[in-house]
Amino acid sequence: MEFALFCTRVNVLIVLLLALCSPCQFIQSPIDFGPLDLLQTTNTASLDFGRIHFNSPSAVLRPQSPKDISVLLRFLSASSYRKVTVAAKGAGHSIHGQAQALDGIVIEMESLPSSIEIYREGQGEAAFFYADVSGGALWIELLEESLKLGVAPRSWTDYLYLSIGGTLSNGGISGQTFKYGPQISNVLQLDVITGKGELVTCSPTKGSELFYAVLGGLGQFGIITRARILLQAAPRKVRWVRAFYDDFHTFTKDQELLISMPELVDYLEGFIVLNEQSLHSSSIAFPAQMDLLPDFGTNGNSKVYYCIEFAIHDYLSKDTNVQQVVENVTRKMSYMPSYIHIVEVSYFDFLNRVRMEELSLRRIDLWDVPHPWLNMFVPKSGIEEFKDLLMANISPDDFEGLILIYPLLSDKWDTNTSAVLPADRVVYVVGVLRSAKPSAPACGGACVSDILRRHRLVAEAAVGPRIGAKQYLPHHSSPAQWRGHFGRNWIRFATRKAQFDPLCILGPGQGIFQKSPLNL
Ligand code: FAD
């Protein structure tokens, strides 16, 4: 039975490949293609959160098992269909078409049967928990499942409706990163199907080159079908604090103070408060009245504020007085006197806070709109200059969205992975998360292009030697820019590509490699 199914799928793949060579002919003769869908779903496969690029594939694969993916990639890499490319699509929350494959095949990872298994290893003090999760599962699913056993991953993203494989292909960062490193520093093992169709289980000690290549690898080396994620005891509640500043230097000094206290602080982020709207839209999940900032100035003379957001886990144990810990920490900070709010929420609601913002934005039709986002890693040495550069390219009055700024520690990142960071030990994440409003004052096509142009100017200036920044979730338009992005790691990146995906089948939407000949 299994064998018959397998054979059917191989046949399906062969027909698919023939169809890719003559799509018109195929459209005239619809056939049942099992997990392969050539017509109905290519529209969704050409769409992502950015709504800026819409590259249609010729086919969509909805795998029922990792074997389906392996069969496809083995066939493509052994055949002469050298033009066919393949992109894995997780939750499709990329901005610049990174999970798209123009005229190629998109593999919808959510079709893989979702599987989350939680294990405990070792005894007593040495015991630890981990989860084996399928690559297309969402982080919210892992949270819900692991909390049933009182455990949870250590490192998160702000938004949890992202796929495991999608964030591990980038980094996966949030307010816990300063303490535990990014999500790619919290993975014990992976199942990967390489560009050659080989199904490999890899870890830091077995197949380590593939393991590290895939983490932060932008989908270039293989498709993650399963990940083993480290877990820890989950707190029941969280003390969530917001403190406001009117001076950038004081704001960043306090952020750096907080990340120097990992034994007390469990989460740290921060954002620029550009206007009333940005304060309210970023406070939907924060259960305190936030309309208190003194004055945003008038046209041409805008004043901005800064908000530090930190959190302390509460395990509800008798030994720790969390309120006392909060007081000890805040006493050392230099926020605007009395501009501080402290609330208590459940751990689940805290981690899932962006979902509330999503639902609120959906209600006013502001979620499914273009998102011209820019994410940068900026070394501490250049953060003041970067902030000035950014602000010179932004008009606070009509800014729709949020600007996140918070520090990480680069020594929590494993340099063997494919992710790249600036050289400083303290590195700031700056996320310019803009929405293009469809209604008055509307931000239409020209407006989105203008925002993207300004982001390019900011990014190009920032990656220069004066500031030395790197893009996160990078988007570059030329081979020279990609080489510059990886810097001294470029040779390693290209060598790994030649080893694991020599025909450059995978990840065409990133635009790093052209299909053969391989450009080393
Ligand atoms: P997709 O967009 O589907 O894919 C992204 C890339 O990964 C593509 O190149 C794709 O081919 C590849 N890929 C996908 N699945 C696999 C797989 N199984 N194996 C190999 N390659 C694969 N990021 C953060 O780090 N921190 C945040 O706090 C954060 N918040 C966000 C909030 C929102 C609202 C949004 C839209 C994005 C946010 N991101 C954040 C960015 C997000 O982590 C990346 O865009 C991530 O790639 C999204 O995951 P996805 O499943 O949607 O990936």
Side-chain angles (χ1 to χ4, degrees):
M1 175 73 178
E2 225 175 73
F3 179 69
L5 193 64
F6 177 71
C7 287
T8 312
R9 289 200 177 133
V10 173
N11 288 337
V12 163
L13 291 171
I14 293 167
V15 178
L16 164 77
L17 267 296
L18 292 172
L20 282 169
C21 295
S22 53
C24 298
Q25 193 188 337
F26 183 76
I27 286 167
Q28 284 160 11
S29 52
I31 306 168
D32 177 11
F33 280 91
L36 288 156
D37 188 338
L38 290 158
L39 300 175
Q40 290 90 331
T41 51
T42 52
N43 283 347
T44 54
S46 62
L47 197 65
D48 61 23
F49 186 76
R51 287 180 186 252
I52 294 164
H53 302 266
F54 304 90
N55 297 311
S56 285
S58 293
V60 172
L61 174 67
R62 291 179 156 166
Q64 298 305 303
S65 73
K67 212 180 204 176
D68 289 345
I69 302 174
S70 171
V71 169
L72 174 68
L73 288 170
R74 268 187 199 281
F75 183 84
L76 290 178
S77 53
S79 73
S80 55
Y81 295 103
R82 290 185 166 247
K83 284 194 193 139
V84 181
T85 56
V86 173
K89 181 180 180 195
H93 280 85
S94 291
I95 297 300
H96 293 285
Q98 285 95 334
Q100 297 172 10
L102 179 64
D103 297 334
I105 301 171
V106 166
I107 302 180
E108 290 190 346
M109 297 302 292
E110 65 177 10
S111 307
L112 277 183
S114 181
S115 150
I116 300 175
E117 290 165 4
I118 296 181
Y119 299 93
R120 177 196 163 114
E121 201 148 287
Q123 294 296 323
E125 294 277 288
F128 67 98
F129 289 84
Y130 61 82
D132 279 344
V133 195
S134 46
L138 303 180
W139 286 93
I140 182 74
E141 295 169 335
L142 175 54
L143 176 64
E144 285 170 342
E145 216 42 49
S146 59
L147 277 184
K148 289 180 189 162
L149 297 173
V151 288
R154 309 193 308 175
S155 185
W156 292 98
T157 47
D158 293 349
Y159 181 57
L160 305 184
Y161 291 74
L162 307 170
S163 77
I164 305 283
T167 72
L168 295 183
S169 298
N170 283 292
I173 54 172
S174 185
Q176 302 84 5
T177 307
F178 81 92
K179 187 162 171 164
Y180 296 114
Q183 289 177 329
I184 56 171
S185 293
N186 290 275
V187 182
L188 303 173
Q189 195 184 78
L190 295 171
D191 280 357
V192 175
I193 299 168
T194 67
K196 295 189 268 188
E198 298 158 338
L199 212 168
V200 183
T201 298
C202 54
S203 71
T205 53
K206 186 180 147 212
S208 61
E209 193 64 23
L210 180 61
F211 179 77
Y212 289 122
V214 164
L215 294 173
L218 307 175
Q220 296 303 301
F221 309 105
I223 295 181
I224 300 168
T225 54
R226 190 183 59 98
R228 180 166 290 179
I229 312 282
L230 191 58
L231 307 175
Q232 67 179 4
R236 298 275 294 282
K237 300 215 164 207
V238 163
R239 221 43 82 93
W240 184 3
V241 184
R242 282 185 164 189
F244 289 86
Y245 297 77
D246 58 3
D247 175 65
F248 186 72
H249 180 69
T250 317
F251 162 71
T252 52
K253 217 166 120 239
D254 269 4
Q255 287 193 315
E256 288 172 29
L257 171 78
L258 291 172
I259 65 167
S260 73
M261 299 190 279
E263 68 291 355
L264 300 178
V265 177
D266 293 297
Y267 163 100
L268 169 89
E269 288 200 5
F271 55 92
I272 303 184
V273 188
L274 286 171
N275 51 38
E276 294 275 358
Q277 174 275 333
S278 77
L279 179 59
H280 291 296
S281 64
S282 59
S283 306
I284 285 154
F286 190 80
Q289 197 66 21
M290 302 286 291
D291 51 354
L292 44 71
L293 287 172
D295 177 18
F296 286 97
T298 47
N299 272 351
N301 192 22
S302 306
K303 181 163 175 49
V304 300
Y305 297 87
Y306 309 94
C307 175
I308 281 185
E309 165 171 283
F310 77 92
I312 293 178
H313 290 172
D314 189 348
Y315 292 87
L316 303 185
S317 84
K318 290 197 188 91
D319 303 339
T320 319
N321 180 340
V322 174
Q323 185 56 32
Q324 192 60 54
V325 179
V326 170
E327 281 167 24
N328 291 347
V329 171
T330 53
R331 204 175 299 128
K332 297 181 180 144
M333 295 168 65
S334 307
Y335 50 86
M336 288 154 57
S338 78
Y339 285 97
I340 188 161
H341 301 271
I342 304 167
V343 296
E344 186 186 71
V345 293
S346 75
Y347 185 52
F348 179 85
D349 285 349
F350 175 71
L351 289 177
N352 201 26
R353 61 200 177 278
V354 178
R355 178 64 164 181
M356 281 185 71
E357 286 171 25
E358 174 191 348
L359 296 176
S360 156
L361 288 170
R362 280 190 184 282
R363 279 194 287 275
I364 51 171
D365 291 333
L366 258 185
W367 185 257
D368 291 328
V369 297
H371 293 99
W373 285 13
L374 174 68
N375 284 279
M376 303 289 302
F377 287 132
V378 183
K380 171 184 163 156
S381 53
I383 189 63
E384 290 258 7
E385 189 169 342
F386 181 84
K387 188 266 293 176
D388 292 343
L389 174 68
L390 184 63
M391 295 310 288
N393 281 281
I394 276 172
S395 155
D397 297 335
D398 58 18
F399 187 96
E400 192 77 39
L402 186 66
I403 302 180
L404 288 176
I405 300 194
Y406 59 92
L408 314 170
L409 295 172
S410 60
D411 53 16
K412 298 281 179 187
W413 294 62
D414 193 324
T415 53
N416 291 309
T417 68
S418 294
V420 285
L421 276 188
D424 284 14
R425 178 168 181 266
V426 176
V427 169
Y428 279 82
V429 179
V430 183
V432 186
L433 314 181
R434 297 189 77 150
S435 305
K437 208 174 171 180
S439 55
C443 182
C447 160
V448 173
S449 300
D450 186 55
I451 294 172
L452 291 169
R453 184 184 60 78
R454 283 172 180 272
H455 283 178
R456 262 196 311 277
L457 289 177
V458 170
E460 278 167 22
V463 299
R466 269 184 71 88
I467 296 180
K470 296 280 182 194
Q471 278 192 44
Y472 177 53
L473 313 170
H475 172 62
H476 295 292
S477 47
S478 75
Q481 285 176 339
W482 276 114
R483 283 184 170 80
H485 173 77
F486 287 103
R488 61 192 169 87
N489 289 339
W490 167 251
I491 297 289
R492 184 180 71 181
F493 197 82
T495 307
R496 285 171 166 177
K497 183 74 173 175
Q499 185 178 354
F500 300 117
D501 180 30
L503 295 182
C504 298
I505 293 170
L506 295 174
Q510 298 280 2
I512 307 173
F513 298 98
Q514 300 297 314
K515 272 224 71 175
S516 53
L518 191 61
N519 47 348
L520 279 176

